[in-house]
Amino acid sequence: MFILHHLWLILALPLAGAAINGLLGWKWPKAAVNSIGVGSVALSFLCVLELIREFLQLGASQVPYFEKYFNWISAGIFKVDFALQVDQLTIVMLLVVTFVSLLVHIYSTGYMAHEGGYARFFSYMNLFVFFMLTLVLAANLVLMFVGWEGVGLCSYLLIGFWFLKDSAASAGKKAFITTRIGDFGFTVGILLAFWTFHSIDFGTIFHQAANMPVESAAAFGTLTVICLLLFAGAIGKSAQIPLYVWLPDAMEGPTPVSALIHAATMVTAGVYMVARMHPLFSRAPLALFVVAAVGAVTAFYAATIGVLQTDIKKVLAYSTVSQLGYMFLGCGVGAYAAGIFHLMTHAFFKGLLFLAAGSVIHAMGGEQDMRNMGGLRKKIPVTYWTMLAATLAIAGIPGFAGFFSKDEILEAARNSSGATVWLWVLGIVAAGLTSFYMFRLIFLTFFGKPRYDEHKVHVHESPRNMTIPLSILAFFSVVGGWFAAPHFFGGTDYFEQFLHPVFAAYAPPTPAIPPEAAATSTPAMELLHSLTGIPVILAVLGLFFAWWFYIHKPDAARRAKESLRGLYSLVYNKYFIDEVYAALIINPLLWISTNVLWHGVDETLIDGTVNGTAHVARGLGGQLREIQSGNARTYATWVVVGAVGFTVLLIAVWMVR
């Protein structure tokens, strides 16, 4: 039980890698930087594998496993321990974070090989892995918040990695400021949780919450307020409406950053937090409905924007926002295991999509506009086939990973106790749109005639340290969802079964299902329904229409653009949300900052007071200086005048008395 007793090792290894490369890597060859950067994450991944072996040997009474190292903060009754815990949910997240991070680090050794700041890049990446693992392993809200803010900091550093590029620097600031808005609510939620439960430890909070009644779905109780405040942080970190605007701009960072932070790990922190705090959310149905509603609307809304994007990374960015909406939809209707299942499969296929997009950009010499690509299928075959596997997965084509996880969420949105018809409708329409814009990406990038100058752009396949991670992620994009496959044949959903102890431990009582209301369908009927259901039909239709508009009848797309010019302009410009935010929020704040706070308060009031006092003192001093003439007669005259004046003053005071 070595790793169980030394959980801190999983955190310490990437932190050590970040420190070594950050302090010393700038003077080392790239091979040494690679050894430290990749090796530290690889060792952390091996520790996680050993942890899984040891965890599976624990008895049910020992889960969650808790390890306290020292008292960290102590202020009156407010006490915070540096404590880590492991349960089934932690295991899933640790495996996803370390495995995908390792593959992205390996990929980065090829993608970033000719970039400056090589050691700095790996230092930031290692630091991100440390904070993400801290967030996942934390046994209390405050330590989780340290990881939460840490991944935000690393996101800022990595988005603005090319800091001499103005758009990258601006995107980093936009991400940092936007997520801080949500994090303010998260902070207040932690304080309210402490005020309510007198503790910030998960175990204590969950045990007390288990004895509290389920709040009314139409009223704001304390649990509802806590959950909504915590969810505000998730809206910012996981890029949901209305705080999603930072994530598309975050594509200014290097592509490995997009794959790791903005697809597979950091942006899923909000989903993990909702699942971790399920004992509170399950007793706050109004908060759960808000989670589901925000998720469903975001899934649909972001998918509509992705339909017309032309930058290959921007398409994937809006796809990420949409898929995160699916995860929140699953959690919001009480299907926490389904939400986490989609989180895992999404890490595989979306991480692969971003890395494959990076391989395309690498092959095209930096080009990201799909309108300037085409015909790449035979020139970069490994990239094409792996990206196609990920596309089939995200589109929900039966047999691929995304089909299983997305189907579970949509089924829960239709049949669970928190389900409503419009949530399900938004989910399935978003599924159809997802299939359309992803196959549109495939057809524009890899099919048709080349739309670039073949004499200037020498397309070439990426090196093996980039294609091997692509192949591994492609494998998991295919088989990663098969943990749930037996369920479609009347068997067991092994993923849900593994997580069941976590979500059943503090679940509120649910009313029994009457025998007459129980499902009567057979496993064969369920399988047939899943394979021929509306989500699958829409996924196939999305593929068909993408083929029709961009391969079979490309003129049809141009005619549709002309006939729907107003709608096209609205969607192509992302509903002008950035312009609306600029008009309603950013510009007024800039005007207030410039004219009121700067010119009014700072210059006029503060500087005016200080400078005015100095001006008066200088003027008075100049006048008094004239008295110092150096003439003895003048001094004697002033002495006499002073004496006479003082005498007159004394006589006046005496007469008044």
Side-chain angles (χ1 to χ4, degrees):
M1 297 297 178
F2 178 77
I3 298 299
L4 271 174
H5 295 156
H6 299 84
L7 292 172
W8 57 270
L9 274 174
I10 299 175
L11 305 177
L13 288 165
L15 179 62
I20 293 171
N21 271 335
L23 296 173
L24 304 173
W26 61 274
K27 56 184 177 182
W28 288 349
K30 290 180 179 178
V33 173
N34 293 342
S35 299
I36 298 298
V38 178
S40 61
V41 178
L43 289 174
S44 186
F45 173 63
L46 293 176
C47 286
V48 170
L49 294 180
E50 172 60 18
L51 172 65
I52 294 173
R53 188 191 69 81
E54 296 175 5
F55 178 82
L56 294 176
Q57 296 177 357
L58 292 176
S61 61
Q62 296 174 280
V63 178
Y65 180 83
F66 182 85
E67 194 75 38
K68 173 185 173 181
Y69 294 99
F70 55 87
N71 181 259
W72 177 29
I73 301 173
S74 182
I77 63 171
F78 184 75
K79 299 184 184 300
V80 182
D81 296 324
F82 187 89
L84 307 177
Q85 73 171 35
V86 178
D87 61 7
Q88 290 85 348
L89 179 58
T90 312
I91 290 294
V92 172
M93 291 299 297
L94 287 177
L95 198 56
V96 169
V97 171
T98 54
F99 176 65
V100 176
S101 297
L102 175 59
L103 293 179
V104 174
H105 275 72
I106 294 171
Y107 176 94
S108 299
T109 61
Y111 190 87
M112 300 296 292
H114 304 292
E115 299 290 343
Y118 192 77
R120 177 168 57 90
F121 175 82
F122 278 96
S123 178
Y124 290 167
M125 293 280 278
N126 281 180
L127 187 63
F128 165 79
V129 175
F130 162 73
F131 279 122
M132 189 67 199
L133 293 173
T134 301
L135 187 157
V136 170
L137 281 167
N140 57 66
L141 279 168
V142 172
L143 190 57
M144 173 188 270
F145 187 68
V146 171
W148 188 276
E149 291 298 297
V151 293
L153 169 65
C154 293
S155 177
Y156 163 74
L157 294 173
L158 286 164
I159 293 170
F161 177 76
W162 291 310
F163 53 84
L164 295 178
K165 185 180 176 184
D166 183 65
S167 58
S170 297
K173 289 182 286 186
K174 184 176 182 178
F176 193 78
I177 294 170
T178 304
T179 54
R180 293 292 76 71
I181 296 171
D183 290 351
F184 174 76
F186 193 88
T187 305
V188 177
I190 294 175
L191 296 176
L192 183 56
F194 175 76
W195 181 82
T196 303
F197 300 105
H198 305 291
S199 175
I200 42 81
D201 295 329
F202 291 142
T204 304
I205 291 175
F206 296 166
H207 278 98
Q208 292 186 41
N211 298 320
M212 300 173 70
V214 176
E215 295 183 349
S216 169
F220 279 89
T222 303
L223 291 181
T224 299
V225 175
I226 292 173
C227 291
L228 290 176
L229 288 168
L230 294 178
F231 183 57
I235 288 175
K237 195 69 70 183
S238 296
Q240 298 295 284
I241 289 175
L243 299 180
Y244 73 93
V245 291
W246 67 269
L247 195 145
D249 287 0
M251 298 304 106
E252 290 290 340
T255 299
V257 174
S258 304
L260 178 61
I261 295 183
H262 306 125
T265 52
M266 186 196 87
V267 291
T268 61
V271 181
Y272 168 74
M273 184 276 296
V274 172
R276 173 59 70 198
M277 302 302 292
H278 71 276
L280 276 63
F281 280 90
S282 296
R283 288 167 173 79
L286 179 59
L288 266 187
F289 175 76
V290 171
V291 173
V294 169
V297 172
T298 302
F300 169 77
Y301 171 82
T304 62
I305 298 178
V307 165
L308 295 181
Q309 294 301 298
T310 55
D311 185 309
I312 189 170
K313 288 179 67 176
K314 287 290 181 70
V315 173
L316 299 179
Y318 282 104
S319 172
T320 298
V321 175
S322 180
Q323 296 302 308
L324 289 167
Y326 268 110
M327 298 175 208
F328 282 114
L329 172 60
C331 292
V333 296
Y336 299 105
I340 296 299
F341 190 27
H342 197 56
L343 183 156
M344 182 188 75
T345 60
H346 178 263
F348 297 144
F349 59 70
K350 185 53 66 64
L352 171 56
L353 285 170
F354 269 110
L355 294 185
S359 183
V360 171
I361 296 168
H362 179 268
M364 291 292 297
E367 180 61 65
Q368 295 185 198
D369 193 328
M370 296 184 297
R371 294 171 298 185
N372 299 326
M373 298 181 185
L376 300 179
R377 179 164 48 101
K378 295 181 180 179
K379 296 186 176 181
I380 47 174
V382 175
T383 300
Y384 164 68
W385 285 109
T386 55
M387 198 168 197
L388 179 62
T391 299
L392 293 167
I394 193 175
I397 301 300
F400 291 82
F403 163 74
F404 297 102
S405 56
K406 191 178 292 187
D407 185 80
E408 287 192 2
I409 290 175
L410 293 174
E411 280 297 308
R414 187 177 64 169
N415 297 322
S416 69
S417 58
T420 60
V421 173
W422 70 270
L423 292 176
W424 178 73
V425 170
L426 286 175
I428 62 171
V429 174
L433 292 173
T434 300
S435 177
F436 176 81
Y437 67 67
M438 285 307 307
F439 282 105
R440 170 179 176 265
L441 181 152
I442 290 292
F443 294 141
L444 285 177
T445 303
F446 295 101
F447 287 80
K449 295 181 180 179
R451 296 182 297 277
Y452 56 89
D453 190 340
E454 296 185 72
H455 298 290
K456 294 182 178 179
V457 180
H458 302 287
V459 179
H460 56 284
E461 186 62 272
S462 299
R464 293 184 63 188
N465 53 351
M466 293 173 64
T467 57
I468 289 176
L470 295 181
S471 302
I472 295 173
L473 285 172
F475 173 77
F476 283 98
S477 295
V478 176
V479 307
W482 282 82
F483 296 103
H487 172 69
F488 294 93
F489 301 93
T492 302
D493 183 337
Y494 290 107
F495 189 87
E496 184 177 7
Q497 184 185 55
F498 180 71
L499 289 179
H500 179 74
V502 176
F503 299 122
Y506 302 102
T510 55
I513 301 176
E516 61 273 14
T520 58
S521 61
T522 64
M525 291 173 60
E526 292 181 2
L527 176 62
L528 182 63
H529 170 73
S530 298
L531 294 178
T532 60
I534 294 178
V536 175
I537 293 173
L538 289 177
V540 174
L541 285 176
L543 189 161
F544 171 76
F545 282 116
W547 171 81
W548 179 271
F549 281 115
Y550 296 99
I551 297 295
H552 185 61
K553 295 286 186 180
D555 287 339
R558 287 189 284 270
R559 289 197 300 269
K561 174 182 174 180
E562 291 296 325
S563 61
L564 301 172
R565 185 174 300 175
L567 180 61
Y568 178 90
S569 176
L570 181 67
V571 177
Y572 180 77
N573 289 287
K574 298 159 285 188
Y575 299 98
F576 298 98
I577 291 298
D578 284 324
E579 289 79 4
V580 171
Y581 278 10
L584 298 181
I585 300 174
I586 298 173
N587 292 338
L589 286 176
L590 286 174
W591 186 90
I592 293 171
S593 298
T594 302
N595 296 284
V596 178
L597 299 178
W598 176 17
H599 295 309
V601 176
D602 192 15
E603 287 186 341
T604 304
L605 183 60
I606 298 176
D607 288 351
T609 301
V610 174
N611 295 336
T613 302
H615 180 73
V616 170
R618 184 170 57 185
L620 183 60
Q623 296 295 324
L624 293 175
R625 184 180 60 185
E626 299 296 328
I627 299 174
Q628 305 296 326
S629 64
N631 191 314
R633 292 182 182 180
T634 302
Y635 293 159
T637 302
W638 282 114
V639 169
V640 171
V641 171
V644 171
F646 186 68
T647 302
V648 171
L649 179 62
L650 288 177
I651 293 172
V653 172
W654 178 79
M655 291 179 66
V656 171
R657 289 185 176 180

